[in-house]
Amino acid sequence: MPQKPHQHHQSRSTAATHAARSRSFDAVAAQYAASRPGYPPELFDAIEERSGRSLEGARVLDVGAGTGIATRLLAARGAEVTAVEPGPGMAAQLRADLPGTPLVRASGDALPFSDAAAFDLVCYAQAWHWTDPARSVPEAMRVLRPGGALALWWNTPHRETGWAADQDARLARRLPGYDRHRITDDPDTLFRSHGLRPAFRAADWTRPVPLDTHLAMLGSHSQLAVADDSTVAAILEDERAALLDVFPDGIVQEEYGVDLTVTVRPAGSS
Protein backbone atom coordinates (compact mmCIF):
# COMPACT_ATOMS: atom_id res chain seq x y z
CA MET A 1 0.00 0.00 0.00
CA PRO A 2 1.49 3.40 -0.90
CA GLN A 3 2.33 5.76 1.91
CA LYS A 4 0.37 8.94 2.47
CA PRO A 5 1.99 11.88 0.67
CA HIS A 6 2.50 13.88 3.87
CA GLN A 7 4.21 10.88 5.45
CA HIS A 8 6.69 10.04 2.72
CA HIS A 9 9.83 8.29 3.98
CA GLN A 10 8.24 7.72 7.39
CA SER A 11 8.59 4.50 9.35
CA ARG A 12 5.58 2.69 10.76
CA SER A 13 6.47 3.92 14.24
CA THR A 14 6.61 7.52 13.00
CA ALA A 15 3.24 7.13 11.29
CA ALA A 16 1.81 5.69 14.51
CA THR A 17 3.19 8.65 16.45
CA HIS A 18 1.62 11.04 13.93
CA ALA A 19 -1.75 9.30 14.40
CA ALA A 20 -1.45 9.47 18.18
CA ARG A 21 -0.62 13.16 18.02
CA SER A 22 -3.62 13.82 15.77
CA ARG A 23 -5.87 12.32 18.46
CA SER A 24 -4.15 14.04 21.36
CA PHE A 25 -6.06 17.32 21.17
CA ASP A 26 -9.30 15.86 22.55
CA ALA A 27 -7.70 15.56 26.00
CA VAL A 28 -6.70 19.25 26.02
CA ALA A 29 -9.67 20.77 24.18
CA ALA A 30 -10.58 23.37 26.83
CA GLN A 31 -6.92 24.36 27.21
CA TYR A 32 -6.63 24.59 23.42
CA ALA A 33 -9.68 26.85 23.14
CA ALA A 34 -8.48 29.15 25.92
CA SER A 35 -4.85 29.55 24.90
CA ARG A 36 -4.34 29.08 21.17
CA PRO A 37 -3.91 32.20 19.03
CA GLY A 38 -6.50 33.40 16.59
CA TYR A 39 -5.71 35.08 13.26
CA PRO A 40 -5.30 38.75 12.24
CA PRO A 41 -7.81 40.56 9.99
CA GLU A 42 -5.20 40.71 7.20
CA LEU A 43 -5.53 36.95 6.74
CA PHE A 44 -9.22 37.17 5.95
CA ASP A 45 -8.61 40.14 3.68
CA ALA A 46 -6.11 37.99 1.75
CA ILE A 47 -8.57 35.09 1.53
CA GLU A 48 -11.19 37.41 0.04
CA GLU A 49 -8.69 38.86 -2.43
CA ARG A 50 -7.34 35.47 -3.56
CA SER A 51 -10.74 33.76 -3.72
CA GLY A 52 -12.38 36.65 -5.56
CA ARG A 53 -15.35 37.14 -3.25
CA SER A 54 -16.34 38.59 0.09
CA LEU A 55 -16.80 36.36 3.12
CA GLU A 56 -20.04 38.23 3.82
CA GLY A 57 -22.80 35.74 3.04
CA ALA A 58 -20.38 33.07 1.79
CA ARG A 59 -21.16 29.41 2.48
CA VAL A 60 -18.01 28.19 4.24
CA LEU A 61 -16.96 24.72 5.32
CA ASP A 62 -14.37 24.89 8.12
CA VAL A 63 -12.70 21.46 8.09
CA GLY A 64 -10.72 20.31 11.11
CA ALA A 65 -12.43 23.14 12.96
CA GLY A 66 -11.14 22.04 16.35
CA THR A 67 -12.66 24.19 19.07
CA GLY A 68 -13.87 26.77 16.54
CA ILE A 69 -11.16 29.43 16.67
CA ALA A 70 -11.29 30.10 12.91
CA THR A 71 -15.02 29.28 12.78
CA ARG A 72 -15.79 32.18 15.08
CA LEU A 73 -13.63 34.64 13.11
CA LEU A 74 -15.11 33.57 9.77
CA ALA A 75 -18.62 34.04 11.16
CA ALA A 76 -17.63 37.47 12.43
CA ARG A 77 -16.83 38.39 8.81
CA GLY A 78 -20.41 37.47 7.89
CA ALA A 79 -19.79 33.95 6.57
CA GLU A 80 -22.35 31.15 6.98
CA VAL A 81 -20.05 28.54 8.50
CA THR A 82 -20.47 24.80 8.86
CA ALA A 83 -17.80 23.20 11.05
CA VAL A 84 -16.34 19.74 10.43
CA GLU A 85 -14.40 18.12 13.29
CA PRO A 86 -13.60 14.43 13.83
CA GLY A 87 -12.45 14.57 17.47
CA PRO A 88 -15.12 14.13 20.16
CA GLY A 89 -13.40 16.34 22.73
CA MET A 90 -12.71 19.16 20.31
CA ALA A 91 -16.23 18.93 18.86
CA ALA A 92 -17.77 19.07 22.34
CA GLN A 93 -15.79 22.22 23.11
CA LEU A 94 -16.90 23.80 19.83
CA ARG A 95 -20.54 22.98 20.62
CA ALA A 96 -20.16 24.56 24.05
CA ASP A 97 -18.48 27.71 22.72
CA LEU A 98 -20.51 28.12 19.51
CA PRO A 99 -23.86 26.42 20.14
CA GLY A 100 -25.53 27.94 17.08
CA THR A 101 -22.92 26.72 14.59
CA PRO A 102 -23.80 23.68 12.44
CA LEU A 103 -21.29 20.95 13.31
CA VAL A 104 -20.61 17.69 11.51
CA ARG A 105 -18.42 14.96 13.00
CA ALA A 106 -16.26 13.84 10.08
CA SER A 107 -12.80 13.89 8.54
CA GLY A 108 -11.59 15.98 5.64
CA ASP A 109 -10.61 12.74 3.92
CA ALA A 110 -14.30 11.79 3.57
CA LEU A 111 -16.65 14.76 3.69
CA PRO A 112 -20.30 13.70 4.24
CA PHE A 113 -21.76 16.13 1.72
CA SER A 114 -23.13 15.59 -1.76
CA ASP A 115 -21.40 16.77 -4.92
CA ALA A 116 -24.07 19.47 -5.09
CA ALA A 117 -23.11 20.96 -1.70
CA ALA A 118 -21.72 24.00 -3.56
CA PHE A 119 -19.75 25.67 -0.78
CA ASP A 120 -18.12 28.97 -1.68
CA LEU A 121 -15.07 28.24 0.47
CA VAL A 122 -13.58 25.11 2.04
CA CYS A 123 -10.91 25.99 4.56
CA TYR A 124 -8.39 24.28 6.79
CA ALA A 125 -7.07 26.42 9.64
CA GLN A 126 -4.07 24.74 11.25
CA ALA A 127 -5.46 21.34 10.20
CA TRP A 128 -4.63 20.26 6.64
CA HIS A 129 -1.40 18.49 7.66
CA TRP A 130 -3.48 15.95 9.60
CA THR A 131 -5.18 14.77 6.40
CA ASP A 132 -4.17 12.58 3.45
CA PRO A 133 -3.95 15.17 0.65
CA ALA A 134 -4.55 12.50 -2.00
CA ARG A 135 -8.05 12.24 -0.53
CA SER A 136 -8.69 15.62 1.10
CA VAL A 137 -7.93 17.72 -1.99
CA PRO A 138 -10.40 15.87 -4.27
CA GLU A 139 -12.97 15.92 -1.47
CA ALA A 140 -12.66 19.67 -1.07
CA MET A 141 -12.93 20.27 -4.81
CA ARG A 142 -15.94 17.94 -4.99
CA VAL A 143 -18.03 19.94 -2.51
CA LEU A 144 -17.01 23.37 -3.81
CA ARG A 145 -19.13 25.21 -6.31
CA PRO A 146 -17.36 25.96 -9.61
CA GLY A 147 -15.35 29.10 -8.90
CA GLY A 148 -15.26 28.32 -5.18
CA ALA A 149 -11.96 28.23 -3.31
CA LEU A 150 -9.94 25.95 -1.06
CA ALA A 151 -7.93 27.90 1.54
CA LEU A 152 -5.26 26.42 3.81
CA TRP A 153 -3.48 28.44 6.47
CA TRP A 154 -1.20 28.16 9.47
CA ASN A 155 0.10 30.43 12.18
CA THR A 156 3.85 29.84 11.95
CA PRO A 157 5.78 31.05 15.01
CA HIS A 158 8.88 33.13 14.33
CA ARG A 159 11.43 30.86 15.99
CA GLU A 160 14.64 31.59 14.09
CA THR A 161 16.27 33.91 16.63
CA GLY A 162 15.94 35.26 20.14
CA TRP A 163 13.89 33.78 22.96
CA ALA A 164 11.74 31.62 20.69
CA ALA A 165 14.78 29.94 19.12
CA ASP A 166 16.15 29.30 22.61
CA GLN A 167 12.83 27.76 23.64
CA ASP A 168 12.83 25.60 20.54
CA ALA A 169 16.31 24.29 21.37
CA ARG A 170 15.23 23.46 24.94
CA LEU A 171 12.15 21.59 23.74
CA ALA A 172 14.18 19.66 21.15
CA ARG A 173 16.50 18.47 23.93
CA ARG A 174 13.61 17.38 26.14
CA LEU A 175 11.20 15.89 23.60
CA PRO A 176 12.47 13.13 21.28
CA GLY A 177 11.32 13.77 17.73
CA TYR A 178 10.38 17.36 18.42
CA ASP A 179 9.97 18.96 14.99
CA ARG A 180 8.57 22.46 15.55
CA HIS A 181 5.22 21.25 14.20
CA ARG A 182 6.48 21.40 10.63
CA ILE A 183 3.97 20.41 8.01
CA THR A 184 6.61 18.98 5.69
CA ASP A 185 10.20 19.73 4.75
CA ASP A 186 9.04 21.25 1.46
CA PRO A 187 5.41 22.42 1.66
CA ASP A 188 5.37 24.11 -1.75
CA THR A 189 6.33 20.87 -3.50
CA LEU A 190 3.60 19.05 -1.59
CA PHE A 191 1.04 21.70 -2.50
CA ARG A 192 1.95 21.64 -6.20
CA SER A 193 1.88 17.84 -6.33
CA HIS A 194 -1.83 18.02 -5.47
CA GLY A 195 -2.74 20.87 -7.79
CA LEU A 196 -2.51 23.60 -5.14
CA ARG A 197 -0.75 26.91 -5.34
CA PRO A 198 2.32 27.47 -3.16
CA ALA A 199 1.84 29.17 0.19
CA PHE A 200 2.56 32.86 0.69
CA ARG A 201 2.93 35.02 3.80
CA ALA A 202 -0.42 36.72 4.33
CA ALA A 203 0.52 38.63 7.48
CA ASP A 204 3.01 38.99 10.31
CA TRP A 205 1.58 39.73 13.71
CA THR A 206 2.33 39.71 17.43
CA ARG A 207 0.20 38.39 20.26
CA PRO A 208 1.10 39.72 23.73
CA VAL A 209 -0.20 37.20 26.29
CA PRO A 210 0.26 36.47 30.00
CA LEU A 211 2.94 33.89 30.70
CA ASP A 212 0.34 31.41 31.97
CA THR A 213 -1.54 31.64 28.65
CA HIS A 214 1.67 31.06 26.72
CA LEU A 215 2.50 28.00 28.81
CA ALA A 216 -1.04 26.65 28.40
CA MET A 217 -0.73 27.17 24.63
CA LEU A 218 2.59 25.34 24.66
CA GLY A 219 1.08 22.47 26.61
CA SER A 220 -1.77 22.15 24.09
CA HIS A 221 0.61 21.25 21.25
CA SER A 222 0.60 17.62 20.26
CA GLN A 223 4.20 16.84 21.25
CA LEU A 224 3.45 17.79 24.84
CA ALA A 225 -0.12 16.49 24.82
CA VAL A 226 1.16 12.93 24.23
CA ALA A 227 3.97 13.18 26.81
CA ASP A 228 3.55 11.95 30.38
CA ASP A 229 2.33 14.41 33.00
CA SER A 230 5.56 14.58 34.98
CA THR A 231 7.59 15.37 31.85
CA VAL A 232 5.16 18.09 30.80
CA ALA A 233 5.08 19.64 34.27
CA ALA A 234 8.89 19.76 34.43
CA ILE A 235 9.19 21.27 30.95
CA LEU A 236 6.59 23.96 31.62
CA GLU A 237 8.12 24.88 34.97
CA ASP A 238 11.53 25.27 33.34
CA GLU A 239 9.96 27.36 30.59
CA ARG A 240 8.32 29.59 33.18
CA ALA A 241 11.68 30.33 34.78
CA ALA A 242 13.44 30.87 31.45
CA LEU A 243 10.77 33.19 30.08
CA LEU A 244 10.57 35.31 33.23
CA ASP A 245 14.22 36.17 32.59
CA VAL A 246 13.22 37.49 29.15
CA PHE A 247 9.79 38.92 30.04
CA PRO A 248 10.02 40.04 33.69
CA ASP A 249 6.60 41.72 33.44
CA GLY A 250 5.06 38.29 32.71
CA ILE A 251 3.76 39.26 29.24
CA VAL A 252 5.15 37.07 26.45
CA GLN A 253 5.40 38.62 22.99
CA GLU A 254 4.50 35.73 20.65
CA GLU A 255 5.42 36.55 17.05
CA TYR A 256 3.73 34.78 14.14
CA GLY A 257 3.56 34.74 10.38
CA VAL A 258 0.35 33.47 8.77
CA ASP A 259 1.05 31.31 5.71
CA LEU A 260 -1.83 30.91 3.29
CA THR A 261 -2.53 29.08 0.06
CA VAL A 262 -5.75 29.58 -1.90
CA THR A 263 -6.74 27.44 -4.88
CA VAL A 264 -9.89 28.21 -6.91
CA ARG A 265 -11.94 25.43 -8.49
CA PRO A 266 -12.19 26.20 -12.22
CA ALA A 267 -15.50 27.82 -13.08
CA GLY A 268 -16.15 25.38 -15.92
CA SER A 269 -15.50 22.20 -13.90
CA SER A 270 -18.23 19.75 -12.97
Side-chain angles (χ1 to χ4, degrees), residues 7-202:
Q7 294 179 346
H8 57 290
H9 306 306
Q10 288 186 346
S11 66
R12 288 185 179 180
S13 63
T14 302
T17 299
H18 181 91
R21 284 172 51 188
S22 72
R23 296 189 297 268
S24 68
F25 300 109
D26 287 311
V28 294
Q31 180 177 338
Y32 191 109
S35 63
R36 285 295 186 102
Y39 305 96
E42 292 88 346
L43 167 68
F44 301 100
D45 295 340
I47 292 170
E48 291 181 327
E49 179 182 353
R50 294 292 175 119
S51 66
R53 69 152 294 157
S54 171
L55 287 168
E56 180 74 37
R59 296 186 66 239
V60 177
L61 193 63
D62 183 14
V63 188
T67 62
I69 293 172
T71 310
R72 185 193 303 275
L73 294 171
L74 287 161
R77 296 285 292 234
E80 300 173 6
V81 188
T82 298
V84 175
E85 170 54 42
M90 299 288 268
Q93 188 68 45
L94 191 152
R95 284 195 182 98
D97 292 348
L98 300 172
T101 298
L103 172 62
V104 177
R105 290 283 311 285
S107 161
D109 293 343
L111 295 172
F113 302 95
S114 73
D115 294 0
F119 288 99
D120 298 303
L121 177 71
V122 173
C123 65
Y124 283 84
Q126 224 75 23
W128 189 68
H129 54 291
W130 297 116
T131 75
D132 176 354
R135 300 169 64 189
S136 57
V137 172
E139 279 293 271
M141 293 300 170
R142 181 180 65 80
V143 302
L144 280 169
R145 65 168 176 81
L150 169 63
L152 322 171
W153 69 84
W154 292 266
N155 270 324
T156 304
H158 291 315
R159 310 189 71 86
E160 294 78 17
T161 60
W163 72 267
D166 294 340
Q167 181 179 80
D168 229 30
R170 290 191 298 270
L171 293 175
R173 288 193 295 268
R174 301 285 288 273
L175 293 168
Y178 178 75
D179 62 1
R180 296 200 287 181
H181 315 285
R182 286 180 179 173
I183 305 154
T184 175
D185 289 336
D186 187 0
D188 286 353
T189 297
L190 180 59
F191 290 160
R192 288 191 180 97
S193 70
H194 293 283
L196 304 176
R197 294 184 177 182
F200 70 97
R201 181 57 51 88

Side-chain angles (χ1 to χ4, degrees), residues 31 167 210-220 235-237 239-240 243 254:
Q31 180 177 338
Q167 181 179 80
L211 177 56
D212 284 343
T213 300
H214 174 79
L215 294 175
M217 181 276 296
L218 200 62
S220 77
I235 288 173
L236 295 183
E237 198 54 41
E239 286 306 307
R240 179 184 298 279
L243 290 173
E254 297 176 352

